[in-house]
């Protein structure tokens, strides 16, 4: 198997570009103690990102708001959300979402 140098350098550059933005902030922030308001603010980042991702998938279809009456994903999200709140299990939540969407697509 022959490795072309230009492809190898592209892969190496992409790995470098991906690695630097992830490691440098971690290295810098690990040396400082963030203030309490900063830590409290950072605690909201994962839930905000997750809400934005899920909201976009549920409420948008081809860049436009989808109607609520025909929105199977929204109806599947409701039992999935309840399972997530009740069990706090990622696996249980994923299984509940998959089963919900399967059942809804089978009937609608």
């Amino acid at each position: 198997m022959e490795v072309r140098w230009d492809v190898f350098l592209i892969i190496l550059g992409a790995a470098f570009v991906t690695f630097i933005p992830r490691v440098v902030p971690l290295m810098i922030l690990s040396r400082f103690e963030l203030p309490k308001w900063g830590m409290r603010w950072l605690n909201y980042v994962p839930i905000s990102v997750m809400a934005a991702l899920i909201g976009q998938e549920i409420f948008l279809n081809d860049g436009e708001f989808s109607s609520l009456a025909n929105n199977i994903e929204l109806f599947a999200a409701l039992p999935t959300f309840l399972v997530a709140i009740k069990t706090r299990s990622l696996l249980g939540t994923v299984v509940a979402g998959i089963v919900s969407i399967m059942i809804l697509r089978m009937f609608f």
Side-chain angles (χ1 to χ4, degrees), residues 59-99:
F59 295 112
L60 292 180
N61 188 11
D62 292 332
E64 297 179 4
F65 280 106
S66 59
S67 66
L68 296 179
N70 297 331
N71 196 342
I72 291 176
E73 287 82 9
L74 177 63
F75 292 119
L78 297 175
T80 305
F81 183 71
L82 292 175
V83 169
I85 293 294
K86 183 76 175 173
T87 65
R88 298 191 180 271
S89 165
L90 178 62
L91 180 63
T93 304
V94 170
V95 170
I98 290 171
V99 169

Side-chain angles (χ1 to χ4, degrees), residues 2-76:
E2 182 179 336
V3 177
R4 293 180 18 202
W5 277 104
D6 55 343
V7 173
F8 179 73
L9 289 176
I10 289 172
I11 292 172
L12 197 61
F16 185 73
V17 168
T18 303
F19 181 74
I20 290 298
R22 295 176 187 202
V23 171
V24 169
L26 187 65
M27 290 172 54
I28 292 172
L29 291 176
S30 67
R31 297 174 189 230
F32 300 105
E33 186 169 332
L34 292 175
K36 287 191 176 220
W37 64 266
M39 292 299 295
R40 193 174 50 216
W41 180 79
L42 286 174
N43 283 335
Y44 292 110
V45 170
I47 190 73
S48 302
V49 170
M50 187 62 77
L53 292 172
I54 291 173
Q56 183 178 10
E57 287 296 321
I58 290 175
F59 295 112
L60 292 180
N61 188 11
D62 292 332
E64 297 179 4
F65 280 106
S66 59
S67 66
L68 296 179
N70 297 331
N71 196 342
I72 291 176
E73 287 82 9
L74 177 63
F75 292 119

